[in-house]
Amino acid sequence: MSDLEAFRRDIRAWLEANCPAEMRQPVRDDADAFWGGRRATFKNEAQRLWFERCMEKGYTVPDWPVAYGGAGMSAAEAKIWREEMARINARPPLSSFGIWMLGPALLKFGTEEQKVHYLGQIARGEIRWCQGYSEPGSGSDLVSLQTFGEDHGNYWLVNGQKIWTSYADKADWIFCLVRTDRTNKYQGISFLLFDMESEGVSTKPIRLISGASPFCETFFDNVKVPKDQIVGELNRGWDVAKYLLGHEREMISGMGGGGGEATIGAAMARAGALDPLLRADLALFDVDALAFMAMSEKFLDEVKVGKGHPAQPNMMKYAGTELNKRRHELVMAAGGSRSLEWDSEETRGGATARGWLRTKANSIEGGTSEIMLNVIAKRILDLPGA
Ligand SMILES: Cc1cc2nc3c(=O)[nH]c(=O)nc-3n(C[C@H](O)[C@H](O)[C@H](O)COP(=O)(O)OP(=O)(O)OC[C@H]3O[C@@H](n4cnc5c(N)ncnc54)[C@H](O)[C@@H]3O)c2cc1C
């Protein structure tokens, strides 16, 4: 038996013994995911057990080094971990912007001290992070951001406003783009980390079309940020920001793989007899979904061996989010007028309709589809600019 086969056997046995049955169900709502943080609460005992067992083994971040709270898995081992998790439909033990976004940026740009400190906290689910990039007027044109950090010797005094900050009201810390030089557009931004409990930070939730309030306006009024809370070099935060965006887009593209209530199989089962045109749409969708999953797998394999095109996450994000929007359109169509129900217990508070409306944001969050297509045109297809 090869080393990898033995590894798979061990992982499979560990998962069988340690993943509670309740954690082998699709994630249906936000409470089904454990986000960690200072104010974290577990939905039930199974969620707590699953998180703690994984955390003790470094399995919340399996491919991070052991010194930073991970399990030190190689690329091939991490792939086996993902496959074995998928085989039993295991939920991720910890959902976290720290894992998906900040962590990879720290691994590349952080100092050793920052890695040990912040990555360890992320792996143990101690600190919940939010992302302070977008501002009113600076979304797609992010580099025009105006939040300013004035140099005060051993700290920056930060003033400004962010918007669409997901879970800002629940997060403990923020990774934030702050202008530190007004004379240089691209090389005048720094990547700062600070505590959301710092004096001068306030948040105001924004309500979405789906009825939920997953994001906020975030205000900084004379917030003091110590100088050692910068990632990367002063005024070179744009490099960190772009690298992080690649990981964010890769993460968002994952929704193309579907799962849970959004699978087409579930829609078909609910709908019973379907009209032939809808059946054809569903079949076409399934083919595209399978092609997307194959592309994702290939992409991840290439990234892990350092051969991925740097602009590829944009392609993945575009394909995955457009696919997810189509999936939810089909789920709605297959469910007929009942899908529009909004309040009843039977529909779990209109989960289908609310989920469908939420997908409208998929092709906006993390960079819009139009921007993804611009990047693909320029950097992958090498087409001339307008
Ligand atoms: C659910 C959700 C969660 C989010 N979470 C966060 C978060 O946690 N942190 C954070 O910082 N931000 C977050 N965002 C903000 C997100 O990154 C921005 O909404 C996004 O980058 C678009 O910026 P904008 O909203 O300012 O739109 P704009 O940039 O004003 O774009 C408006 C329209 O113009 C189009 N457009 C703009 N420029 C071009 C161009 N050059 N070519 C072609 N078309 C163009 C866009 O595609 C879009 O259709 C979130 C957004 C959503 C929807």
Side-chain angles (χ1 to χ4, degrees):
M1 187 185 287
S2 76
D3 287 353
L4 284 179
E5 280 165 350
F7 180 80
R8 185 184 293 279
R9 186 201 53 204
D10 293 348
I11 287 294
R12 189 172 290 188
W14 188 86
L15 285 172
E16 281 305 337
N18 290 285
C19 183
E22 298 95 313
M23 295 295 107
R24 303 181 190 200
Q25 316 262 337
V27 172
R28 290 177 164 224
D29 55 45
D30 222 33
D32 282 345
F34 177 64
W35 287 86
R38 288 176 186 143
R39 287 165 284 167
T41 49
F42 294 100
K43 184 179 180 182
N44 51 37
E45 184 60 9
Q47 193 182 59
R48 186 184 67 78
L49 268 180
W50 179 223
F51 165 71
E52 287 178 0
R53 286 172 179 169
C54 285
M55 193 259 288
E56 276 157 22
K57 300 280 285 184
Y59 291 163
T60 55
V61 282
D63 55 353
W64 289 7
V66 175
Y68 310 144
M73 287 187 198
S74 67
E77 289 169 345
K79 187 173 177 188
I80 290 175
W81 167 260
R82 285 197 305 277
E83 287 169 355
E84 290 302 315
M85 288 276 285
R87 197 182 69 84
I88 59 163
N89 283 324
R91 290 179 182 169
L94 177 63
S95 299
S96 148
F97 291 174
I99 295 176
W100 303 321
M101 297 194 240
L102 178 61
L106 280 172
L107 281 166
K108 186 167 168 72
F109 294 96
T111 61
E112 185 55 25
E113 215 179 349
Q114 287 175 333
K115 288 180 193 172
V116 171
H117 180 70
Y118 295 116
L119 294 176
Q121 286 182 331
I122 292 170
R124 294 187 298 272
E126 291 167 0
I127 293 293
R128 184 168 178 175
W129 289 87
C130 64
Q131 176 189 35
Y133 275 31
S134 308
E135 297 184 3
S138 302
S140 300
D141 183 23
L142 184 59
V143 78
S144 66
L145 64 92
Q146 293 300 321
T147 291
F148 192 70
E150 194 178 272
D151 193 335
H152 277 246
N154 57 351
Y155 64 88
W156 286 285
L157 195 65
V158 175
N159 280 286
Q161 186 197 337
K162 298 288 170 182
I163 194 163
W164 319 125
T165 325
S166 296
Y167 305 119
D169 51 344
K170 298 188 171 63
D172 304 310
W173 275 60
I174 187 167
F175 47 94
C176 193
L177 295 182
V178 173
R179 186 158 293 289
T180 36
D181 180 355
R182 288 199 174 100
T183 63
N184 195 327
K185 196 173 179 189
Y186 285 89
Q187 295 188 7
I189 293 172
S190 297
F191 191 103
L192 306 186
L193 311 176
F194 52 95
D195 195 323
M196 292 292 280
E197 283 176 13
S198 310
E199 210 183 317
V201 178
S202 58
T203 60
K204 196 170 149 202
I206 307 170
R207 207 168 141 95
L208 271 185
I209 190 175
S210 63
S213 296
F215 50 29
C216 298
E217 290 178 279
T218 306
F219 303 92
F220 307 127
D221 183 14
N222 286 331
V223 180
K224 288 182 183 172
V225 179
K227 283 277 173 76
D228 62 353
Q229 289 172 202
I230 186 172
V231 179
E233 290 173 42
L234 178 67
N235 293 326
R236 298 307 297 260
W238 190 240
D239 298 340
V240 187
K242 277 189 303 181
Y243 182 79
L244 182 147
L245 273 176
H247 284 273
E248 178 179 4
R249 288 171 184 167
E250 188 185 318
M251 174 271 289
I252 294 175
S253 80
M255 61 182 60
E261 284 286 285
T263 59
I264 292 301
M268 280 182 159
R270 261 204 310 277
L274 288 178
D275 101 28
L277 287 178
L278 187 54
R279 286 179 75 93
D281 281 348
L282 289 169
L284 200 61
F285 175 87
D286 274 352
V287 172
D288 288 347
L290 286 171
F292 174 79
M293 284 188 269
M295 180 172 84
S296 302
E297 205 51 51
K298 178 171 176 285
F299 166 66
L300 280 179
D301 284 347
E302 285 169 356
V303 167
K304 298 294 178 205
V305 293
K307 286 193 176 160
H309 188 296
Q312 218 164 339
N314 300 282
M315 202 167 81
M316 301 295 301
K317 203 254 165 188
Y318 175 76
T321 54
E322 294 298 332
L323 195 67
N324 199 41
K325 289 203 304 187
R326 245 173 88 200
R327 170 184 293 112
H328 281 259
E329 290 287 344
L330 286 168
V331 170
M332 289 296 285
S337 56
R338 196 170 155 273
S339 303
L340 294 169
E341 211 289 326
W342 194 247
D343 283 322
S344 73
E345 225 172 88
E346 195 194 343
T347 61
R348 291 190 293 113
T352 304
R354 288 173 198 267
W356 164 66
L357 288 172
R358 175 61 181 83
T359 63
K360 302 293 173 198
N362 294 165
S363 45
I364 302 173
E365 56 200 307
T368 68
S369 278
E370 290 78 12
I371 296 300
M372 297 307 104
L373 289 174
N374 282 349
V375 178
I376 294 163
K378 278 188 210 145
R379 298 191 53 204
I380 297 182
L381 301 176
D382 212 12
L383 296 174

